[in-house]
Amino acid sequence: MMRKPLQLLAALLVSALAATACGKEGSPPTKGPSGDELPKYQVAQGFSLPDSSTWNKARKRGHFVVGAKEDQPYLGEKNPANGVYSGFDIEVAKMISASLGLDPKKISFRTIASANRETALQNGQIDYYVGTYTINDNRKKLVGFAGPYYMAGQSLLVRTDEDDIHGPGDLAGKRVCSAAGSTPYQRIQADYPKAELVAYDTYSICVDNLLTFQVDAVTTDDAILLGFAAKAPDELRTAGKPFSEEPYGIGVPRSDNALRAAMNDALEARQKNGDWKRAYEATLGLSGVPAPKPPAVDRYPAN
Ligand code: GLU
């Protein structure tokens, strides 16, 4: 299912657009987070979580293995030159690792597409997942969720010259692209069946298709779409208001309740000490939305 050459093409297209937009009057900042603006997360000393099989495994290994996205501006991006991941989701992954006593600098990140997250957690390929992952009841049957740590909402991305699309009600007969296995894909399929829905593995492929007139709109969370729009402000913009609630959670193996509880403690502590806000401002905040109040964590009972 991987479409590597296309992914690369999409990444190149978006970064080429970002380069041309750079420095133009009135364009939003296109720079990424710089090292010294990001918080440094102190590693908890003497931390232990013996009831968590995931934590025990990571402890022995010396670091966590974390699933993430690599093509979502300001959220989860991989620098093709040096393989380094950055963005708000990456910062959340790091602050959690530090609170759980393992050096965040040693995290090994793996890119996992939306459709493959549950399998990756179920077969132990990753310890946890941070990548615009909506908490919902269907997914809770397969994995566990700490959080939420951010509240997004489904929205639409169009070309700046688009006149017809102002919200999901205008999608009948339009070609709309989203990622396979995502909640936005499922919502269009269920609630707007007259849209001509197209699925790819990633949103950057959808954006490439939008820029080359293969589709009329891309749909997913506003947080993701605003990042693409900020990188190519002359070509792309969001349309209409968000039309769902997408609470982002940290995916963990379903039976590891000790890990989920410890991560919820960690999230609360990082919100309280200001790290959450500092991380947001240095990453996702660059797509133009000021830091919101973080949502309350949901310590749902083990099921
Ligand atoms: N938050 C949505 C989801 O989890 C869309 C973003 C994504 O595919 O990661 O399905």
Side-chain angles (χ1 to χ4, degrees):
M1 277 282 280
M2 290 303 283
R3 296 182 177 82
K4 273 284 169 204
L6 263 177
Q7 259 173 7
L8 199 65
L9 177 72
L12 286 174
L13 254 168
V14 171
S15 53
L17 283 165
T20 48
C22 200
K24 267 190 198 160
E25 242 180 285
S27 60
T30 51
K31 69 180 177 107
S34 82
D36 41 293
E37 291 161 9
L38 293 169
K40 305 247 183 306
Y41 310 110
Q42 241 197 321
V43 182
Q45 296 303 310
F47 180 89
S48 180
L49 198 61
D51 291 346
S52 163
S53 56
T54 313
W55 186 86
N56 284 321
K57 207 169 57 173
R59 177 69 203 260
K60 276 202 199 104
R61 197 194 291 125
H63 62 87
F64 280 114
V65 178
V66 177
K69 296 289 179 68
E70 68 169 44
D71 64 338
Q72 298 186 171
Y74 307 116
L75 283 156
E77 289 182 277
K78 183 178 172 182
N79 181 332
N82 58 15
V84 173
Y85 286 73
S86 64
F88 184 57
D89 285 335
I90 303 304
E91 291 306 306
V92 170
K94 287 181 178 170
M95 59 182 86
I96 292 295
S97 173
S99 290
L100 271 54
L102 295 179
D103 188 348
K105 291 197 280 298
K106 291 193 186 152
I107 293 177
S108 170
F109 285 102
R110 304 270 158 85
T111 300
I112 309 278
S114 297
N116 304 330
R117 294 181 279 213
E118 291 80 25
T119 324
L121 284 165
Q122 283 171 326
N123 67 18
Q125 202 183 335
I126 52 173
D127 297 322
Y128 59 97
Y129 187 94
V130 195
T132 59
Y133 197 8
T134 294
I135 303 171
N136 67 31
D137 288 344
N138 278 336
R139 289 173 176 170
K140 276 188 195 165
K141 291 178 191 145
L142 305 169
V143 301
F145 285 104
Y149 62 89
Y150 183 78
M151 186 63 83
Q154 184 169 355
S155 188
L156 298 167
L157 185 74
V158 296
R159 290 179 298 268
T160 38
D161 60 2
E162 173 63 52
D163 292 327
D164 299 343
I165 301 173
H166 308 285
D170 301 325
L171 294 177
K174 300 284 183 191
R175 291 161 302 173
V176 186
C177 192
S178 195
S182 70
T183 49
Y185 179 90
Q186 289 157 4
R187 187 166 296 104
I188 298 295
Q189 200 175 35
D191 298 350
Y192 304 94
K194 290 195 177 128
E196 286 177 35
L197 192 53
V198 186
Y200 287 101
D201 287 349
T202 66
Y203 300 109
S204 58
I205 298 180
C206 283
V207 170
D208 183 26
N209 275 270
L210 180 62
L211 289 167
T212 53
F213 295 81
Q214 311 296 307
V215 299
D216 303 304
V218 177
T219 188
T220 186
D221 306 333
D222 51 357
I224 301 172
L225 298 177
L226 286 166
F228 282 113
K231 294 225 173 187
D234 291 344
E235 286 77 16
L236 301 172
R237 62 173 172 82
T238 56
K241 289 196 182 77
F243 51 96
S244 76
E245 284 199 338
E246 308 288 332
Y248 286 174
I250 302 169
V252 297
R254 184 173 186 261
S255 58
D256 203 334
N257 292 304
L259 184 67
R260 184 158 67 86
M263 286 183 171
N264 281 330
D265 292 345
L267 276 175
E268 281 176 347
R270 298 290 176 180
Q271 287 168 6
K272 223 177 183 171
N273 78 359
D275 280 347
W276 184 96
K277 187 160 187 265
R278 275 189 289 276
Y280 177 93
E281 282 168 352
T283 56
L284 195 49
L286 298 176
S287 58
V289 181
K293 198 170 131 30
V297 304
D298 174 15
R299 295 172 186 269
Y300 63 88
N303 50 5

